[in-house]
Amino acid sequence: MSTDTERVQGESDTSLSLLETWTQWYHIPVVGVAMLFMFLTRIQARDEFMTEDGTPALAAIDSWYHWRTIQWTAENYPRTMPYDIWTGFPTGRYVGQFGTLFDQLIVTAAMIVGLGDPSTETLFMVSLLAVPAMAALVAIPVFFIGRRLGGTVGGIASVLILALAPGTFLARTTAGQLQHHVAEVLFMAIAILAMMVALRVTERDQPIYELLVDSDWEALRTPAIYSALAGVALTLYIWVWPPGVVLIGILAVFFTVQLCLDYVRNVSPDHVAFVGSVSLGVTALLTAILIEDPGTSVTSFGYLQPASAALVAAGCVFMAWFARQWNGFDVDRRYYPAAIGGLIVAAFAVMWLVIPSLFDTFVTNATRRLIPFGETATDLTIQEAQPPADFTAHVVDEFGAAFYTMLVGLLILIARPFFGREFRTEHTLVIVWSLFMISMAATQIRFAYYLVIAVAVVNAVFVAEMLRIIDIDVELVRSVNALKNVEAYQVIVLVMVVLLLFAPLLPPVAAADDTAWERGNVTGTNPTGTADTWETSNHWLAENTPEPGNWAGAGNEDELELYGTYDQPEDGDFEYPEGSYGVMSWWDYGHFITVQGERMPHSNPFQQNARSSSAFLTAESEERAELVLDAIAAGESPRDHSNEELEEMIENGEDSHEEIRYVMIDDQMAGGKFGAITTWSGPDHNYYTTPEDLNPNEPVESDEIPEQFAGVPYYDTTTAQLYFGNAAGMEHYRLVHENDDRMTPFISYALVDPETGELEYGADGSPMVAINQIYNQQTYVELMQIEQHPELDYVVFDQREGAAVKTYERVEGATLEGSIDGDGFEEGTVVAAVELDTGAESATFDYVQQGELEEDGSFELTVPYATNDELGVGDGYTNSAVEATEEYTITVTATGEDGFQAYDAETAVPETAVVEGETVEVALEEVEFDDPEEVDNETDVDVGEGPVPEDDGEEIVEEGEDTVIDDQEMDEEGGAAGSLGPVAVEAAG
């Protein structure tokens, strides 16, 4: 009997031991499963990025440049790229916000996997998986922060919210999203956790000034170590993302608030000041080691990061010292915060007077990143930098109800001291940091990936408080017998909390495609559909143009290694060798050109040279476009300068061989992006889509609209002339490649009053017209919305289509020179025409150049196309894919003293003449006509009236009937040049 008793007692002890072990460690498998779920969710679409030919496929534009910095780091390990001459031509670019700890970590992992020499395939595979892996690791600091705020159950709730959130954090951390955002989130969470721990340790050990004076290192050792570690964690965050200096600003606000609170509550501010001075002091020292780009740019490893950290550290010391002085002033402690506020205002006033550049840096970045107002027009051209149109709807889509329970959690934290509950210093940190995360998410939509941390961890407070209210042990029921004491109302409340937090993130409450798992599965290689399309054109560019440094056979290509190391010039202007050249396009595509095409773009997604690119693309004449490019070569930055000012800039500038040789135009630039392009150099978009003589007070009938809008300034821009006109009438630009993998349909339409049939105007007096809007799904929806408004109608007055990407070469042009017999010609016209084959499915087009005959019968025409392809890459020139099918046909008609005369000729134009600007003599033969009306004037077109429309193909929309999409590929990018959109429709209505 005694034996049985002992056995039962032993089993009971074993069961109790297992339960205690589970109670102590159950969170580890739970968090592990959540992390595994996060990783698997994010790698579902990895096969989309593994191409058969081994070339990388990536999502989002910035991912392409990270792939470049990762490759560079692998070639130069362990260094990261500081200065890149393969972008921002003709100066190069410091690229410190890329090539950071993020890239080093990925390459280090690849080095381990590849045993010190990873292949490109290994490097790419590790890069694909590294981002989802880092996203899963975020769960660890989130759990520990949540546990500090709401116990183990609160920590688990935080991790589950993080894992199930279907918004921006998920979208930016899937396979293929090779961007530093995931590392930002991971290291910010680590930095906040480290600071919380340091604050709690000092709150316990209470280091004060006297301990420093007495050199009591035994008492100071522990708080000093934890504070220093917090400084290291903060440094690592900044090392991942130099603009992370914003967290130093947030900590500055926290330390100011906390030190004031402590002093007013008669608590020594020395404790918190110790953490601030040590942690920020360490950050100042470590970030000073990283200085690569002297200056105060927020995107560079420069003076701003260590200076900001040092100022906060010094500020903490000053506030503690000032509090001691205040004790001797015999002034109420409650006035101390006001005095500190006044001193801060005075300090910024001095900074504004003495160091205005630093003051502007602080203010600019506060308004652009921390506060939801003050954004500039150019900021709004960046999709991810735009504020949410509807913040309420935005946060619900991102977090469901968890955002609002987070707000409740913040209120609970704030209210703790008013109910006699413990309020720790780390609580103030979480409150201040969370409020800034909310503000940042309201400022730029992308910062929702930061807000997810705050939403997750503060909900630990909410969960813990709900469990406390219903009297359930936050640390989980500790014995089976305790389950018997749980009341029905407690179960009901617990279920309601779970449903409130998690049901909006799971089916069936959330739509099936709105859950984290489904959203992780629908990621694509590129949200705008442009990377794959541009890859075709960029690969052609890499194979059919000379290596940079070898233009015209200069032979300096060895001086421009793609993965070479280059010192940053003191003036920021790299001296390129002879034979170097750049590529002009819009800044969105700069990284594609660098990585896919291995050529040097002028502008890039750093928004470098965006204004000068805009000035070129919006130039309304070839003369001005050439002046812009010549000013760039002379080291100037042309924007809204007049032609005379540009000529003076060129004359006074540097003589340079650094020329822009190629121009790449895509359908988005001609359509949806043109409005953003105009924002950078002006005038605004309405100018380009409004006839100069249009008077809003004079009605325009429907049948007059096509004629009224046929010659709007848009058609004179370089963008339209190159994209739609194939350089017709231009002298120095020849089409060398056309990528028609995707033919894009365009339509132009106007809103009209259905009763009067007259053109509608907006509130600002501008006509409600969309010029060359890409006909995609968004356009279809917009037109459907118009049809649903009985007070509105629309008229389609133009339809055309264009290739996905067109590549032009800038050449000197061959001068066709000739003369006819006679003198005193009153009027005369010279037309040169040649048929060209693009080598693409769009087949042939005609290039036409027109000029006037001089009084003495002579003429000169400059043409950019050759009739042979005698030059190629081996000669240091372009292997053009566009070739002439025949010789030029020259037609001359003139009226003079001898009456009407007509001449014609055929002539070849060598490619050397086109490239080097040589003269080609034209031998004309007179054509006998009895009647001038018999002259064939088919080639006599007015090239000044905008581009010659291409064949429209099938009709895209029928006026007054249902809109039909005729088997056209839908571009996923929204917006278009002149796009009206639902808001404008409502305004017109």
Side-chain angles (χ1 to χ4, degrees):
M1 186 70 178
S2 61
T3 303
D4 292 341
T5 303
E6 289 175 1
R7 180 169 55 82
V8 172
Q9 182 65 42
E11 290 178 356
S12 177
D13 290 342
T14 301
S15 300
L16 182 60
S17 177
L18 289 173
L19 184 59
E20 288 177 347
T21 301
W22 168 253
T23 302
Q24 205 170 19
W25 301 105
Y26 73 95
H27 59 278
I28 294 179
V30 174
V31 173
V33 170
M35 292 174 65
L36 180 62
F37 171 81
M38 292 176 68
F39 181 72
L40 294 177
T41 298
R42 287 160 170 78
I43 65 170
Q44 292 179 84
R46 64 189 181 282
D47 290 342
E48 290 188 32
F49 305 97
M50 304 302 296
T51 58
E52 294 181 1
D53 61 359
T55 58
L58 294 166
I61 292 171
D62 284 348
S63 297
W64 288 92
Y65 201 77
H66 267 299
W67 174 235
R68 166 156 173 73
T69 57
I70 286 170
Q71 288 181 296
W72 193 97
T73 301
E75 291 285 337
N76 299 273
Y77 189 79
R79 291 179 299 161
T80 57
M81 179 188 294
Y83 191 77
D84 193 3
I85 65 168
W86 283 78
T87 192
F89 184 87
T91 60
R93 166 79 186 192
Y94 171 78
V95 293
Q97 68 185 98
F98 287 73
T100 64
L101 178 62
F102 170 71
D103 306 276
Q104 281 181 321
L105 290 173
I106 292 176
V107 175
T108 299
M111 286 286 181
I112 295 171
V113 174
L115 302 178
D117 187 21
S119 65
T120 301
E121 291 74 15
T122 298
L123 194 62
F124 186 62
M125 177 59 73
V126 172
S127 299
L128 280 182
L129 299 180
V131 171
M134 287 185 187
L137 289 174
V138 174
I140 296 175
V142 162
F143 169 76
F144 283 108
I145 296 174
R147 187 163 74 169
R148 296 185 69 82
L149 296 174
T152 302
V153 173
I156 290 175
S158 297
V159 171
L160 293 178
I161 291 172
L162 179 75
L164 296 175
T168 303
F169 176 61
L170 170 64
R172 291 178 180 270
T173 56
T174 55
Q177 289 280 352
L178 191 55
Q179 302 187 73
H180 51 249
H181 306 310
V182 64
E184 293 176 48
V185 176
L186 175 61
F187 284 95
M188 175 182 271
I190 292 172
I192 293 298
L193 173 62
M195 192 63 71
M196 291 174 69
V197 173
L199 289 168
R200 185 57 175 160
V201 168
T202 54
E203 205 168 29
R204 181 195 65 200
D205 294 353
Q206 297 185 347
I208 57 175
Y209 175 70
E210 284 72 16
L211 293 175
L212 284 171
V213 174
D214 296 339
S215 299
D216 190 350
W217 307 120
E218 187 67 28
L220 295 174
R221 179 184 296 112
T222 301
I225 290 174
Y226 280 98
S227 297
L229 289 175
V232 171
L234 179 56
T235 302
L236 292 177
Y237 169 63
I238 295 172
W239 200 354
V240 163
W241 190 54
V245 68
V246 69
L247 184 54
I248 294 178
I250 294 172
L251 292 174
V253 174
F254 156 70
F255 283 116
T256 302
V257 171
Q258 186 61 48
L259 288 169
C260 288
L261 284 175
D262 284 347
Y263 187 70
V264 169
R265 293 183 305 159
N266 202 24
V267 175
S268 172
D270 288 8
H271 316 325
V272 173
F274 182 86
V275 178
S277 59
V278 173
S279 63
L280 273 300
V282 169
T283 300
L285 291 174
L286 295 180
T287 53
I289 298 173
L290 300 176
I291 292 176
E292 296 174 339
D293 183 34
T296 58
S297 171
V298 72
T299 58
S300 304
F301 288 120
Y303 298 142
L304 183 63
Q305 291 84 2
S308 300
L311 284 173
V312 177
C316 290
V317 173
F318 172 80
M319 288 186 67
W321 171 83
F322 191 61
R324 289 173 176 264
Q325 304 307 308
W326 195 270
N327 291 333
F329 295 157
D330 195 25
V331 181
D332 195 308
R333 288 174 176 264
R334 289 174 297 179
Y335 296 119
Y336 174 81
I340 292 296
L343 290 172
I344 292 173
V345 171
F348 274 101
V350 171
M351 184 188 300
W352 175 63
L353 291 171
V354 179
I355 320 175
S357 61
L358 184 60
F359 176 82
D360 290 342
T361 298
F362 279 118
V363 173
T364 300
N365 284 279
T367 56
R368 293 178 64 181
R369 289 184 168 89
L370 290 175
I371 307 173
F373 58 82
E375 63 276 354
T376 64
T378 52
D379 289 337
L380 298 180
T381 66
I382 310 170
Q383 185 177 6
E384 67 176 18
Q386 296 176 356
D390 183 340
F391 185 69
T392 301
H394 177 58
V395 294
V396 170
D397 182 62
E398 291 279 337
F399 316 113
F403 175 77
Y404 294 100
T405 53
M406 170 230 192
L407 297 181
V408 175
L410 285 176
L411 291 175
I412 292 170
L413 274 182
I414 295 170
R416 285 176 71 95
F418 299 102
F419 291 91
R421 300 177 62 192
E422 180 189 26
F423 185 85
R424 303 192 297 271
T425 304
E426 59 186 314
H427 292 158
T428 308
L429 172 62
V430 170
I431 292 168
V432 172
W433 167 70
S434 298
L435 291 176
F436 272 109
M437 293 302 100
I438 295 171
S439 181
M440 288 173 67
T443 303
Q444 296 186 18
I445 56 175
R446 64 174 175 151
F447 286 141
Y449 63 71
Y450 276 144
L451 181 56
V452 71
I453 320 174
V455 169
V457 300
V458 177
N459 265 292
V461 178
F462 173 77
V463 169
E465 189 65 19
M466 293 301 101
L467 294 179
R468 189 187 70 84
I469 290 174
I470 62 177
D471 198 24
I472 291 182
D473 187 352
V474 174
E475 296 302 321
L476 202 66
V477 179
R478 293 186 179 275
S479 68
V480 176
N481 291 331
L483 292 173
K484 300 177 182 179
N485 299 323
V486 177
E487 301 288 342
Y489 82 91
Q490 293 174 311
V491 175
I492 293 172
V493 173
L494 187 61
V495 170
M496 290 178 62
V497 170
V498 171
L499 290 176
L500 182 64
L501 285 175
F502 304 115
L505 306 178
L506 295 168
V509 176
D513 58 354
D514 283 340
T515 63
W517 182 262
E518 290 301 322
R519 288 196 183 184
N521 190 39
V522 298
T523 182
T525 55
N526 189 275
T528 61
T530 54
D532 294 340
T533 302
W534 273 77
E535 185 173 28
T536 300
S537 295
N538 283 323
H539 284 181
W540 180 90
L541 192 72
E543 296 168 3
N544 295 278
T545 61
E547 292 286 336
N550 193 39
W551 175 263
N556 294 318
E557 61 270 29
D558 291 341
E559 297 182 32
L560 300 173
E561 296 181 14
L562 186 61
Y563 300 113
T565 301
Y566 304 94
D567 294 329
Q568 181 176 357
E570 292 184 5
D571 60 357
D573 188 355
F574 184 79
E575 188 66 33
Y576 287 85
E578 186 176 354
S580 304
Y581 62 88
V583 180
M584 171 63 73
S585 190
W586 188 229
W587 64 259
D588 289 20
Y589 309 113
H591 293 342
F592 293 162
I593 294 169
T594 298
V595 181
Q596 295 176 340
E598 297 184 358
R599 294 299 180 264
M600 301 173 179
H602 174 61
S603 56
N604 48 49
F606 300 117
Q607 294 187 306
Q608 181 186 14
N609 299 324
R611 294 191 187 279
S612 51
S613 293
S614 173
F616 171 81
L617 295 169
T618 59
E620 294 179 54
S621 68
E622 185 177 13
E623 176 192 10
R624 179 167 179 80
E626 286 290 281
L627 287 172
V628 169
L629 295 187
D630 288 341
I632 291 171
E636 301 292 342
S637 179
R639 286 185 261 177
D640 54 356
H641 301 288
S642 67
N643 286 4
E644 291 74 17
E645 289 172 329
L646 289 177
E647 290 174 352
E648 184 177 353
M649 291 164 62
I650 294 166
E651 184 178 350
N652 297 331
E654 302 174 359
D655 291 332
S656 176
H657 49 259
E658 300 166 336
E659 299 284 349
I660 303 292
R661 295 290 183 184
Y662 297 93
V663 179
M664 302 181 77
I665 306 282
D666 80 335
D667 50 4
Q668 299 295 330
M669 293 164 65
K673 294 183 185 295
F674 188 75
I677 292 172
T678 65
T679 302
W680 285 87
S681 60
D684 64 21
H685 183 252
N686 285 338
Y687 162 80
Y688 293 95
T689 58
T690 303
E692 185 178 353
D693 56 352
L694 186 67
N695 186 347
N697 297 320
E698 295 180 5
V700 179
E701 302 292 338
S702 296
D703 56 358
E704 299 174 356
I705 291 175
E707 182 180 357
Q708 281 275 3
F709 288 89
V712 293
Y714 169 80
Y715 288 111
D716 294 326
T717 63
T718 307
T719 299
Q721 287 288 326
L722 295 181
Y723 184 77
F724 290 113
N726 288 334
M730 302 182 79
E731 298 180 340
H732 303 292
Y733 298 87
R734 65 168 181 170
L735 181 68
V736 291
H737 182 257
E738 182 174 85
N739 173 11
D740 62 353
D741 291 349
R742 180 187 72 240
M743 294 301 291
T744 303
F746 293 81
I747 65 170
S748 298
Y749 66 90
L751 298 190
V752 296
D753 187 320
E755 295 183 0
T756 65
E758 296 176 355
L759 178 67
E760 288 278 6
Y761 292 88
D764 60 353
S766 60
M768 303 296 288
V769 173
I771 301 292
N772 285 329
Q773 177 168 337
I774 293 176
Y775 191 71
N776 55 14
Q777 188 63 47
Q778 178 174 325
T779 315
Y780 176 84
V781 171
E782 290 176 3
L783 295 177
M784 291 300 94
Q785 290 177 331
I786 294 172
E787 290 185 356
Q788 292 170 7
H789 285 72
E791 69 277 13
L792 288 175
D793 199 358
Y794 65 90
V795 173
V796 175
F797 59 87
D798 188 24
Q799 302 173 28
R800 62 183 73 208
E801 68 176 10
V805 184
K806 294 186 177 186
T807 303
Y808 284 85
E809 182 183 10
R810 185 185 179 209
V811 294
E812 291 293 327
T815 300
L816 305 182
E817 188 176 89
S819 63
I820 62 174
D821 296 333
D823 198 1
F825 292 102
E826 297 176 1
E827 58 182 53
T829 303
V830 184
V831 177
V834 65
E835 184 182 66
L836 297 153
D837 186 352
T838 65
E841 292 184 7
S842 54
T844 62
F845 69 95
D846 291 332
Y847 168 80
V848 179
Q849 179 65 287
Q850 179 175 299
E852 294 183 357
L853 196 68
E854 298 294 333
E855 289 186 10
D856 63 358
S858 64
F859 67 86
E860 288 185 355
L861 287 181
T862 301
V863 296
Y865 289 98
T867 55
N868 63 27
D869 55 353
E870 59 186 314
L871 299 178
V873 175
D875 306 300
Y877 296 102
T878 309
N879 183 21
S880 176
V882 178
E883 299 179 354
T885 62
E886 56 190 15
E887 295 184 339
Y888 274 86
T889 299
I890 314 298
T891 303
V892 179
T893 57
T895 303
E897 296 176 355
D898 298 330
F900 176 79
Q901 294 176 269
Y903 294 79
D904 65 11
E906 290 186 358
T907 186
V909 176
E911 191 167 19
T912 52
V914 166
V915 171
E916 298 176 8
E918 297 174 350
T919 299
V920 176
E921 294 291 339
V922 178
L924 293 164
E925 294 184 3
E926 187 170 4
V927 180
E928 298 294 338
F929 289 98
D930 295 330
D931 185 347
E933 297 292 332
E934 297 179 19
V935 178
D936 183 3
N937 286 321
E938 288 183 0
T939 59
D940 189 7
V941 296
D942 188 349
V943 295
E945 293 297 325
V948 181
E950 299 180 7
D951 182 51
D952 294 332
E954 296 185 21
E955 189 169 3
I956 300 173
V957 292
E958 295 285 350
E959 180 183 344
E961 299 180 3
D962 290 341
T963 305
V964 179
I965 303 174
D966 288 340
D967 299 326
Q968 297 289 350
E969 179 181 348
M970 290 301 159
D971 194 308
E972 297 177 9
E973 169 145 325
S979 174
L980 298 175
V983 175
V985 170
E986 293 175 7

